[in-house]
Amino acid sequence: MNPLKIVALTIATLLMSLATAQNTEPYVDDEDCGCDLYFINGIQKTYSNGKFGFKRADGTIIAPNIYIETDRFQNGYCKVWLEAGKCGLIDSTGREVIPCQYADIDYFSCGLARFFQNSRYGFLDTAGKVAIPATYVAASAFFEDKAVVAVITDSFGNLGYGFIDKQNTLVVPATYEYAMPYTESLAAVKAYDRWGFIDHTGREVLPIKYELLGQMQNGYTFAVYNGDAALIGKDLKPITPFIYEDMQRVSEGLCAVKKDGLWGFINTRGKTVVACQYARVSSFSHGLAMVSDGSLFGIINKRGKQVLPMEYGPAGERSNAYMLRDGLALVEQGGRYGFVNAKGKFVVPMQYTNAYPFSEGMAAVRDGVWWGYIDTTGKIVIPAKYESAGYFESGRAEVMLNGVIHMIDKNGKCVKNCKKLR
């Protein structure tokens, strides 16, 4: 079992913000700025004299251009910096809900926002008042009304991890070597270099004896004991024996497992659905998974049937991209690239010398030495004239022409760093 999996999961969970940008509308031209001015939920980021602000689509100013940097609005709030080291949150009216006086601030989670000041973490309420003082060496956001916190436990500076509630009561003592936030009413905790689960009362409900333990997701997790992995259900009982060398999370009802050096898939009852026969697999997405014999790649469905035979090359760092994006998967064979649909049928023939997966209905493709863009029917929508081209994101993509990097919209019109092209 790769220990990086649980480390990455821990870091991502502890640092993640629950809010995410939504309903991104097209960017506007930003020739004078050379920066990202965008619409999100009808709010436009603005720029002048080196500072940023926001206005509505009808021109009504929400926040004047006074901030040296801003995030994007997420669930009605936006993170802004008045100057370096002075961060806060504004709402959709431009009001500073949290004044710009903190070294760092998070978005609200369970009604509280984590802040960082003077090398310690605390929490603010939605009125911007300190709900929990900044006394913790480390802290996660609140999940299920509890947050992981770390305190110094001895004169040597060692840390103990526990949980507080929204009243700043230490409801689970800080006696653990590490802890992860609650998900599905369970929290993974570490003691004496072993992992187990506790419930909301702090009661140990899965013995702390496992070398690795994933967070519960959709009623399933994995555990490693004596070097072998097993699938664990919501009742905290092993669904499979501890016989697997590695295991991925359950996705679309199937779990990738590794045995005798090869990967296959089991269902959530522990029954083998696809025999362990592949050197490499991805999780299932839209009913399909990437599989590889170690050198060539293909795609299977949930019955294990190959909808795309293992005849295609790894395409370098894009080997992870052999899944459906906008309904099409990128494949490569003999140095030529094309796209297939979910049935393994070619929509775009193997005719390009390079390509990237689809993003927002567009894919960058190289015809000879020049890059352009096609749509999901294979039609060329932006002619191949660029030295390099990237993915579309929020209606824009980065390209290079005559050695100048700039951004274009989906019509091929320059919207950033355009003056340098003249």
Side-chain angles (χ1 to χ4, degrees):
M1 175 69 67
N2 185 352
L4 291 178
K5 285 185 178 180
I6 200 166
V7 173
L9 180 62
T10 302
I11 294 172
T13 303
L14 291 177
L15 299 183
M16 72 178 290
S17 166
L18 288 181
T20 55
Q22 302 178 24
N23 302 328
T24 302
E25 300 170 18
Y27 284 87
V28 296
D29 293 356
D30 52 12
E31 173 64 18
D32 293 330
C33 170
C35 48
D36 290 342
L37 303 181
Y38 42 77
F39 281 105
I40 292 181
N41 294 340
I43 297 176
Q44 178 193 337
K45 185 175 178 179
T46 59
Y47 173 86
S48 64
N49 300 320
K51 300 291 181 68
F52 297 93
F54 293 95
K55 68 179 181 181
R56 298 197 182 279
D58 62 5
T60 303
I61 295 175
I62 296 174
N65 296 335
I66 60 174
Y67 300 108
I68 63 168
E69 188 54 84
T70 71
D71 197 1
R72 304 184 184 191
F73 270 91
Q74 303 181 12
N75 292 345
Y77 297 97
C78 185
K79 190 173 176 179
V80 294
W81 288 260
L82 196 58
E83 57 184 79
K86 291 191 175 182
C87 180
L89 289 181
I90 63 173
D91 63 17
S92 58
T93 70
R95 180 174 66 93
E96 285 192 4
V97 177
I98 296 179
C100 294
Q101 63 185 44
Y102 299 100
D104 197 12
I105 193 81
D106 287 343
Y107 289 96
F108 289 106
S109 173
C110 298
L112 295 175
R114 183 182 65 166
F115 72 93
F116 185 65
Q117 193 79 309
N118 299 323
S119 301
R120 291 292 186 271
Y121 289 93
F123 295 87
L124 303 165
D125 63 22
T126 54
K129 296 181 179 179
V130 175
I132 297 175
T135 58
Y136 296 106
V137 179
S140 74
F142 271 86
F143 293 86
E144 299 184 4
D145 290 331
K146 293 182 178 62
V148 179
V149 294
V151 298
I152 297 174
T153 57
D154 56 35
S155 59
F156 298 102
N158 291 314
L159 297 182
Y161 287 78
F163 293 82
I164 59 171
D165 63 16
K166 294 167 72 173
Q167 288 72 48
N168 198 23
T169 300
L170 195 64
V171 292
V172 177
T175 57
Y176 296 105
E177 295 172 18
Y178 205 74
M180 296 197 293
Y182 279 94
T183 60
E184 301 184 18
S185 300
L186 296 170
V189 294
K190 184 180 183 182
Y192 302 105
D193 208 29
R194 291 292 185 269
W195 289 87
F197 276 133
I198 61 172
D199 64 15
H200 274 285
T201 69
R203 182 172 63 95
E204 184 180 312
V205 292
L206 185 68
I208 302 176
K209 66 178 185 179
Y210 300 98
E211 291 108 78
L212 288 176
L213 182 64
Q215 287 181 299
M216 188 68 70
Q217 293 181 314
N218 300 317
Y220 301 96
T221 187
F222 69 88
V224 176
Y225 187 68
N226 290 334
D228 295 317
L231 184 65
I232 305 294
K234 184 66 174 181
D235 60 1
L236 302 181
K237 296 179 181 179
I239 295 173
T240 68
F242 285 86
I243 58 174
Y244 296 106
E245 298 158 16
D246 205 347
M247 183 174 288
Q248 298 179 10
R249 67 179 180 84
V250 173
S251 176
E252 298 187 359
L254 295 177
C255 176
V257 294
K258 187 178 183 181
K259 191 176 182 182
D260 298 327
L262 296 174
W263 287 89
F265 292 89
I266 61 173
N267 62 22
T268 53
R269 298 186 301 277
K271 180 181 177 181
T272 298
V273 176
V274 179
C276 293
Q277 58 187 300
Y278 298 108
R280 182 176 173 187
V281 298
S282 72
S283 296
F284 272 89
S285 175
H286 300 93
L288 301 173
M290 178 197 73
V291 294
S292 172
D293 64 3
S295 59
L296 298 177
F297 289 77
I299 295 175
I300 63 171
N301 61 21
K302 287 187 173 183
R303 298 188 301 276
K305 180 181 178 181
Q306 290 189 9
V307 298
L308 184 71
M310 286 193 297
E311 299 175 353
Y312 302 93
E317 49 94 12
R318 272 153 307 181
S319 58
N320 289 324
Y322 282 1
M323 292 306 300
L324 294 182
R325 308 288 176 90
D326 292 334
L328 298 174
L330 170 68
V331 294
E332 179 266 337
Q333 189 177 52
R336 293 285 172 173
Y337 295 74
F339 293 87
V340 297
N341 62 20
K343 296 181 179 180
K345 303 296 184 182
F346 276 94
V347 175
V348 180
M350 309 283 281
Q351 65 188 58
Y352 293 104
T353 54
N354 209 339
Y356 284 92
F358 273 88
S359 174
E360 300 185 2
M362 307 272 278
V365 294
R366 191 175 70 189
D367 189 0
V369 297
W370 304 109
W371 287 84
Y373 290 87
I374 60 173
D375 64 18
T376 53
T377 70
K379 179 183 176 181
I380 296 175
V381 288
I382 298 176
K385 64 177 182 179
Y386 302 104
E387 289 120 66
S388 66
Y391 294 98
F392 269 92
E393 181 181 2
S394 299
R396 306 189 342 167
E398 190 173 78
V399 295
M400 179 185 289
L401 181 63
N402 298 327
V404 175
I405 297 176
H406 60 286
M407 299 193 86
I408 59 172
D409 63 18
K410 288 189 174 182
N411 295 315
K413 179 183 177 182
C414 181
V415 293
K416 178 178 177 181
N417 295 339
C418 306
K419 288 180 178 178
K420 294 180 180 180
L421 294 174
R422 300 169 188 169

